[in-house]
């Protein structure tokens, strides 16, 4: 998998697209996509990245986002933690954009409406699945976020700010997914987006250990044993 | 007179207490507070009822979070109005029962092959009822393919049970299945509302089943579906089934139950638009016999689909008084195929004696028309279609009239499997003895394809079949057709 990164925006390519993830913050009536933060300090951390975010929306606080690609499947796991965070701060993210054949990197927007057509999002408390592709070649990406996450459908045509996106609603031809959870100082939160197989099948309680395992690996490896579940029949995900 | 009234009141109180006393789950420690995991208390109540030969386990109003509930013989779960039995989310320490082992998982999907990884399950039981105006929610179940132990994927799962009665309850967000009944004898489903994120009722290898007065909104999979899988480890037909007075649809999830019937989410996970239909198949190792569907409404969903593709014999099917609106693929799709997801050597099945009458359909997708298609050497036989009126969207040019759709013998059966078809009304291939009587087809936009595509058809009688034709367009495309009668 190629994991494209632009600050705190990520694109999945394996080799077809696996969607895009874009992160932001909401505090009351203010909101900010992290890529627009006043300061983003990024550094390579073994196989992943560590990004330190500071911005007036955080007051004197600082947010740390650590990212690791996954070994057993295509995907990534994020660890988010912060210090001196303001009360009521919420982490918000956008995910979607599976409807294209090649990874499209736009300097102005990482999750383009034209990449969202016919994407379908199943939501199960704090877990989600994106269905995309075609009937003959259906593709599936899965995700897990903190237990207290609220998931909702949103409009990729309305991404001028996280707040606008969060409240954009589902009446759109460019459906994408929005997720949001509160952030408290000193707490650690995990987010995972992945393509499921026999070795990669996650609930939230598995993510801390998953992140620790991936962060401890110093070299890039791919587990060749990772295959779809053996009893996924030929009509897996058909009706 | 006063004395007589007192006696009457006393009698009513006595009758009332006899009817409703039961085994109250709160007496066994259930909190119903929406926080506590109440399944241990619920299962204790069931055990207590079983110990005295059976009884009614009562859920008063409240929200009961629960993992697997183990049904027993002669048990009725009764959810009073205001009671919500909710599947809890698994944790690292607790969850639903593990799926039992099965030797036959390769012949059907994971969801079909196991029963214990469910909110409510019973295997080999008799005399089971689930009743009351309460709600059963699959909130903590998954519709997906996770194999993590503790994850549940069905709201109600019954295997090889006898005498099952489910009535009045509401089922929401139910995971893979709201109800999976496999190998059940004598089952009645009545006055049930389902609004879910995958299948509604899956009635698999069952015999003598009544489904009536149910509303099932299942935009992301089939609403009411009859199957004949190999999950029991043997071939078994689904037979003696009646489905009547039901509504099936593919509106946005939850919007049937809240009465808003929203259409903002037209796409389904398989990228073929919302499902929500009545279907036979896809699992069809066994057959389908003596089944009626009557007085049903399809809305904003796929059309009626009768499929046998794994070796099963489908015969003696009667379908009548159906109304459809905003249908996203073929209004009527009959497919005899050769997927053969059955033990090696299973021969191709058969489809015969299918009667479909009194169907009215408005605003049907025009890509595929109505499809009746067997495979070379195995024709669909003895089909009667009468008193049918279909209004298609139309809008296709005559350039598509030269398309020869692929056979796709082994492909998963869906109207889209043939791609765009060369006719505007009906696509008939590998069919023997079909009668169409009093059939009207029309189009919201002009369609420049012939009305019929007939290939390898032996015996076709059309009586009063009306369809508007654009100038210069032939009524029929015929290839290897014999015994065609087209009568005014």
């Amino acid at each position: 998998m190629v994991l494209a990164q632009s600050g705190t925006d990520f694109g999945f390519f394996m080799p077809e697209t696996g969607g895009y993830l874009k992160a932001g913050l909401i505090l009351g009536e203010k909101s900010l996509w992290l890529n627009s933060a006043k300061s983003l300090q990024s550094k390579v951390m073994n196989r992943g990245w560590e990004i330190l975010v500071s911005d007036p929306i955080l007051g004197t606080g600082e947010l740390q986002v650590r990212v690791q690609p996954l070994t057993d499947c295509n995907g990534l796991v994020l660890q988010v933690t912060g210090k001196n965070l303001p009360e009521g701060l919420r982490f918000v993210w956008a995910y979607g954009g599976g409807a294209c054949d090649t990874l499209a990197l736009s300097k102005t927007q990482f999750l383009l409406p034209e990449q969202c057509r016919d994407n379908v999002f199943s939501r199960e408390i704090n877990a989600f699945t994106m269905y995309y592709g075609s009937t003959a070649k259906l593709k599936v990406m899965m995700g897990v976020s903190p237990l207290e996450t609220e998931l909702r459908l949103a409009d990729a045509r309305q991404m001028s700010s996280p707040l606008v996106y969060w409240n954009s609603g589902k009446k759109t031809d460019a459906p994408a997914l929005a997720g949001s959870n509160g952030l408290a100082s000193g707490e650690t939160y995990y987010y995972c987006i992945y393509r499921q197989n026999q070795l990669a099948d996650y609930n939230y309680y598995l993510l801390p250990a998953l992140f620790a395992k991936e962060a401890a690996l110093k070299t890039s490896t791919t587990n060749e044993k990772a295959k779809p579940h053996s009893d996924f029949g030929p009509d897996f995900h058909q009706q | 007179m006063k004395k007589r009234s007192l006696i009457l009141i006393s009698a009513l109180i006595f009758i009332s207490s006899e009817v409703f006393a039961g085994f109250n789950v709160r007496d066994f420690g259930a909190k119903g507070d929406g926080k506590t995991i109440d399944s241990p208390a619920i299962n204790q109540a069931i055990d207590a009822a079983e110990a005295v030969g059976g009884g009614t386990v009562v859920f008063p109003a409240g929200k009961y979070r629960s993992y697997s509930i183990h049904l027993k013989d002669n048990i009725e779960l009764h959810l009073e109005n205001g009671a919500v039995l909710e599947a809890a989310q698994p944790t690292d320490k607790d969850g639903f029962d593990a799926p039992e082992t099965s030797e036959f998982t390769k012949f059907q999907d994971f969801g079909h092959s196991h029963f214990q990884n469910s909110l409510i399950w019973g295997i080999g039981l008799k005399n089971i009822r689930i009743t009351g105006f309460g709600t059963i929610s699959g909130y903590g179940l998954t519709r997906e393919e996770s194999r993590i132990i503790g994850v549940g994927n069905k709201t109600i799962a019954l295997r090889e049970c006898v005498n099952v009665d489910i009535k009045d309850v509401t089922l929401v967000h139910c995971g893979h299945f709201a109800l999976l009944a496999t190998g059940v004898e004598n089952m009645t489903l009545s006055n049930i509302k389902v609004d879910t994120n995958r299948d509604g009722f899956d009635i698999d290898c069952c015999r003598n089943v009544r489904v009536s007065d149910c509303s099932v909104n299942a935009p992301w999979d089939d609403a009411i579906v009859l199957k004949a899988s190999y999950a029991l480890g043997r071939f078994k037909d689904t037979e003696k089934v009646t489905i009547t007075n039901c509504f099936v649809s593919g509106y946005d999830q939850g919007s049937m139950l809240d009465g808003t019937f929203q259409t903002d989410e037209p796409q389904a996970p398989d990228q073929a638009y919302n499902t929500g239909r009545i279907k036979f198949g896809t699992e069809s190792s066994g057959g389908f016999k003596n089944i009626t569907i009557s007085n049903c409404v399809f809305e904003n969903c796929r059309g009626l689909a009768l499929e046998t593709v794994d070796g099963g014999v489908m015969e003696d099917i009667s379908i009548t008084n159906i109304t459809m609106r905003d249908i996203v693929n073929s209004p009527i799709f009959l497919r005899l195929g050769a997927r053969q997801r059955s033990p090696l050597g299973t021969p191709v099945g058969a489809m015969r004696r299918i009667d479909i009458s009194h169907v009215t359909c408005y605003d049907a997708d025009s890509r595929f028309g109505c499809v009746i298609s067997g495979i070379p050497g195995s024709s669909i036989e003895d089909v009667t279609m009468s008193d049918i009126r279909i209004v298609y969207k139309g809008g296709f040019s005559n350039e598509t009239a030269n398309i020869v759709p692929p056979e796709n013998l082994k492909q998963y059966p869906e109207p889209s499997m043939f791609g765009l078809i060369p006719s505007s009304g009906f696509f008939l291939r590998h069919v023997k003895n079909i009668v169409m009587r009093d059939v009207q087809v029309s189009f919201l936009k002009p369609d420049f394809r012939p009305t019929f595509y007939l290939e390898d058809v032996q015996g076709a009688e059309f009586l009063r079949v009306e369809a508007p034709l654009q100038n210069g367009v032939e009524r029929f495309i015929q290839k290897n057709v014999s015994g065609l009668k087209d009568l005014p």
Side-chain angles (χ1 to χ4, degrees), chain B residues 17-96:
Chain B
S17 64
E18 280 295 291
V19 171
F20 295 110
F23 294 79
N24 188 323
V25 294
R26 289 181 183 265
D27 293 339
F28 293 83
K31 301 291 185 192
D33 58 6
K35 298 174 184 172
T36 307
I37 298 296
D38 283 327
S39 33
I42 295 165
N43 283 321
Q44 282 180 34
I46 292 171
D47 290 344
E50 186 201 25
V52 297
T56 302
V57 174
V58 178
F59 295 72
K63 182 185 280 188
Y64 302 87
R65 295 181 67 229
S66 177
Y67 295 120
S68 293
I69 293 173
H70 310 140
L71 288 171
K72 300 285 175 64
D73 285 345
N74 306 312
I75 293 297
E76 174 178 348
L77 301 182
H78 182 79
L79 285 85
E80 292 186 341
N81 212 337
V84 179
L85 173 60
E86 181 180 277
Q89 188 176 29
T91 68
D92 54 341
K93 299 181 178 63
D94 209 351
F96 298 92

Side-chain angles (χ1 to χ4, degrees), chain B residues 193-208:
Chain B
K193 294 182 187 69
V194 183
D195 201 332
T196 189
N197 52 342
R198 203 162 171 182
D199 292 45
F201 304 143
D202 273 47
I203 298 163
D204 182 15
C205 304
C206 293
R207 187 162 51 185
N208 191 22

Side-chain angles (χ1 to χ4, degrees), chain A residues 215-233:
Chain A
L217 293 173
K218 294 195 184 308
T219 56
S220 182
T221 59
T222 301
N223 195 328
E224 297 299 330
K225 294 177 182 174
K227 293 176 180 171
H229 289 297
S230 60
D231 51 353
F232 280 6

Side-chain angles (χ1 to χ4, degrees), chain A residues 103-166:
Chain A
L103 194 67
L105 299 173
S106 162
K107 289 181 180 175
T108 56
Q109 194 172 337
F110 216 73
L111 202 169
L112 300 170
E114 54 267 32
Q115 299 160 349
C116 297
R117 183 173 44 80
D118 288 332
N119 288 184
V120 175
F121 297 92
S122 168
R123 292 161 285 153
E124 295 180 342
I125 309 178
N126 62 318
F128 56 91
T129 306
M130 177 173 74
Y131 293 91
Y132 62 108
S134 65
T135 302
K137 195 176 179 186
L138 189 65
K139 299 167 191 169
V140 181
M141 290 292 286
M142 312 198 83
V144 185
S145 55
L147 295 174
E148 60 273 27
T149 300
E150 180 183 348
L151 297 173
R152 58 171 68 168
L153 295 177
D155 182 0
R157 295 189 184 282
Q158 300 185 55
M159 298 193 72
S160 57
S161 74
L163 204 55
V164 168
Y165 178 68
W166 180 248

Side-chain angles (χ1 to χ4, degrees), chain A residues 34-216:
Chain A
L34 290 188
N35 256 7
S36 305
K38 193 170 182 181
S39 170
L40 280 180
Q41 296 177 38
S42 179
K43 66 178 181 182
V44 174
M45 188 183 75
N46 289 341
R47 300 158 51 247
W49 302 274
E50 178 183 282
I51 304 153
L52 296 176
V53 183
S54 56
D55 186 88
I57 199 171
L58 295 171
T60 59
E62 186 178 66
L63 200 68
Q64 180 192 60
V65 179
R66 300 169 76 196
V67 187
Q68 289 293 337
L70 298 177
T71 310
D72 290 333
C73 67
N74 290 312
L76 63 72
V77 55
L78 263 72
Q79 182 197 64
V80 176
T81 186
K83 56 187 178 184
N84 300 323
L85 301 178
E87 284 283 323
L89 184 69
R90 296 189 69 79
F91 190 69
V92 62
W93 48 263
Y95 177 67
C100 59
D101 295 327
T102 57
L103 194 67
L105 299 173
S106 162
K107 289 181 180 175
T108 56
Q109 194 172 337
F110 216 73
L111 202 169
L112 300 170
E114 54 267 32
Q115 299 160 349
C116 297
R117 183 173 44 80
D118 288 332
N119 288 184
V120 175
F121 297 92
S122 168
R123 292 161 285 153
E124 295 180 342
I125 309 178
N126 62 318
F128 56 91
T129 306
M130 177 173 74
Y131 293 91
Y132 62 108
S134 65
T135 302
K137 195 176 179 186
L138 189 65
K139 299 167 191 169
V140 181
M141 290 292 286
M142 312 198 83
V144 185
S145 55
L147 295 174
E148 60 273 27
T149 300
E150 180 183 348
L151 297 173
R152 58 171 68 168
L153 295 177
D155 182 0
R157 295 189 184 282
Q158 300 185 55
M159 298 193 72
S160 57
S161 74
L163 204 55
V164 168
Y165 178 68
W166 180 248
N167 293 315
S168 59
K170 64 175 187 173
K171 291 181 183 294
T172 177
D173 62 348
L177 189 65
S180 175
N181 64 280
L183 290 180
S185 290
E187 297 291 328
T188 305
Y189 306 88
Y190 295 91
Y191 306 82
C192 182
I193 292 177
Y194 66 105
R195 179 159 286 173
Q196 191 182 56
N197 63 42
Q198 269 184 330
L199 299 177
D201 188 359
Y202 305 124
N203 268 351
Y204 187 74
Y205 61 78
L206 298 169
L207 296 190
L210 176 67
F211 184 87
K213 183 191 90 169
E214 300 292 359

